[in-house]
Amino acid sequence: MSKDHQVKAKKHLGQHFLNDESIAEKIANTLSFEGYKHVLEIGPGMGVLTKYLLKKETKTHVIEIDTESVEFLKNNYLNLADRVIEQDFLKYDLNLIFNHEPFAIIGNFPYNISTQIVFKTLEMRNQVPEFSGMFQKEVAQRICSKEGSKVYGILSVLVQAFYHAEYLFTVPPSVFNPPPKVESGVLLLKRKANYTLSCNEAMLFKVVKTAFQQRRKTLRNSLKTFNLSDNLKANSIFDKRPEQLAVQEFIELTKLIETDVEQ
Ligand code: SAH
C-alpha cells in the first residue's frame, strides 16, 4: 500500500473519520499527561488524533482492529510502528503491554461499543487515572447526569463512584467522514483522589445494575433477589426509586445490604 493511500470507511467497524484538525488537537489536549507515562488511543484509524498525541512526552500506544488502518499507521507514523496493537480493545489483555502500570485512555471510537469501552475502563480503574473519549452526545450526557434526571442510570452511578465526569464540548456530524446521523460529545473522566470505596465494590455493581433494571419500582421491589431481612427493608431508603439516589447513597445502600447478607 502506498504511503498516502486513504483507508476506506467500513460501516461494520463503526468508522467515521474525523476530518477537522483543530478538533483533533483539542481532543488530544483534554488529557493532562501528568501522573502516567503511557497513553492508549482506542481506534486511531488514520491517526488524526495520534499525531497530536505523539508530540507529547508520554508514550503513545494505539489499539486498532482494522488491518487496513494498521497498515496506514505503520506506513505514515514510523516512530509509532512498534506501539501499534492490532487487536480488539474489548478482548485484549492490556497488561501484556502495560504490565500493571498506569495509562490514560483516549479515542474517537465507534458509538456502538462505547459503553462497553467504559465498562472495561471501570474494570481497569486502578490503572486508568484519566479517560477522554468521543461519544454519541446523549451517552456522554447520560454518563455525567445527576440523580433526579431522567437519563441518570447504571453508567452514571458507576462511573461517578470512581471518576469526576465532565461533558466538555459538542461535535457536529459535519466534521466526520462519513458523517454520523447523531451529534457527538467529548467526555472527560478524571479518577477521584480517593477512589477506593467504603463498600464492597463488586456488590455496588450488582446493586446498581439490579436496581436500574426496573427503574420505576421502589428499591424494596427491585432488590427482592437479594433476600433482604424485613428489618432492613423497613429503612426508608427502600421507598425510593433508583434514579432518586445520589452516588454516595448507593454506596451507603450497598453497605447496608452487605451487612444484612452477612447475617
Ligand atoms: N480515531 C479515528 C477513527 C475513528 S473511526 C478518527 O477520529 O478519525 C473508529 C475507529 O475504531 C476505526 O478505525 C475502527 O477500525 C476502530 N475500531 C472499531 N472497533 C474497534 C475495537 N473493538 N478495537 C479497536 N479499534 C476498533
Side-chain angles (χ1 to χ4, degrees), residues 109-163:
F109 34 67
Y111 303 111
N112 62 345
I113 61 166
S114 63
T115 58
Q116 292 172 75
I117 288 175
V118 174
F119 275 116
K120 179 154 177 175
T121 301
L122 287 180
E123 278 170 29
M124 303 201 73
R125 59 190 176 272
N126 292 336
Q127 271 171 275
V128 185
E130 279 183 359
F131 173 106
S132 174
M134 179 96 76
F135 290 78
Q136 182 176 335
K137 185 180 173 184
E138 290 75 13
V139 176
Q141 286 172 331
R142 177 148 48 88
I143 291 172
C144 300
S145 70
K146 296 288 176 198
E147 68 276 13
S149 154
K150 258 197 291 198
V151 295
Y152 183 67
I154 296 172
L155 266 189
S156 335
V157 178
L158 294 178
V159 166
Q160 292 173 44
F162 305 102
Y163 289 88

Side-chain angles (χ1 to χ4, degrees), residues 13-18 41-49 63-66 69 87-90 107-110 113:
L13 292 177
Q15 291 179 337
H16 296 277
F17 297 111
L18 185 61
E41 184 190 352
I42 304 171
M46 286 183 277
V48 65
L49 275 178
I63 185 160
E64 172 58 66
I65 203 170
D66 175 33
S69 296
Q87 291 282 346
D88 178 341
F89 169 79
L90 297 176
N108 167 32
F109 34 67
I113 61 166

Side-chain angles (χ1 to χ4, degrees), residues 44-63:
M46 286 183 277
V48 65
L49 275 178
T50 323
K51 64 162 115 36
Y52 297 103
L53 297 172
L54 287 170
K55 291 184 181 169
K56 310 285 178 183
E57 305 241 311
T58 37
K59 248 192 182 143
T60 302
H61 305 253
V62 301
I63 185 160

